[in-house]
Amino acid sequence: DEDSFKVHGTLTMRGVSKKIVLDADYSGAIRDPWGNTRAGVTVSGKLNRKDYGVSFGLLSETGGVALGDEIKISANMQFVMQEELQPA
């Protein structure tokens, strides 16, 4: 799909930095009532919290694990295009 792409970056958590790749979907652009162009993007991915030194655990009342190692990342973002300033 031409509206899907990968976002590459570095995530730092608790002083540990690691490269991460997230899936992204462009949901389109609109013009808002004030004349601004707005674009929407959704990103998602997974990581292992222990890779970042987050190793504490929680147990449920029945003795099961209440906090898994896999963390899901999901973000819905909206961007507003900034008009380019013209030299005076």
Side-chain angles (χ1 to χ4, degrees):
D1 183 4
E2 66 185 45
D3 292 335
S4 296
F5 53 97
K6 302 283 186 187
V7 176
H8 298 255
T10 302
L11 177 67
T12 302
M13 184 174 10
R14 297 181 54 96
V16 177
S17 297
K18 295 199 172 278
K19 293 193 181 295
I20 189 170
V21 179
L22 301 173
D23 295 318
D25 291 303
Y26 172 68
S27 49
I30 63 163
R31 185 158 308 270
D32 69 19
W34 301 276
N36 300 308
T37 300
R38 294 180 180 267
V41 176
T42 300
V43 296
S44 61
K46 297 177 186 177
L47 61 89
N48 187 316
R49 66 186 179 92
K50 289 185 176 178
D51 290 345
Y52 293 87
V54 181
S55 59
F56 61 86
L58 296 174
L59 296 178
S60 68
E61 292 177 8
T62 60
V65 177
L67 183 60
D69 292 340
E70 183 179 271
I71 304 299
K72 293 180 183 178
I73 298 172
S74 179
N76 297 311
M77 299 174 284
Q78 187 178 92
F79 300 93
V80 179
M81 186 185 328
Q82 183 176 9
E83 295 296 324
E84 187 174 328
L85 297 176
Q86 299 298 321

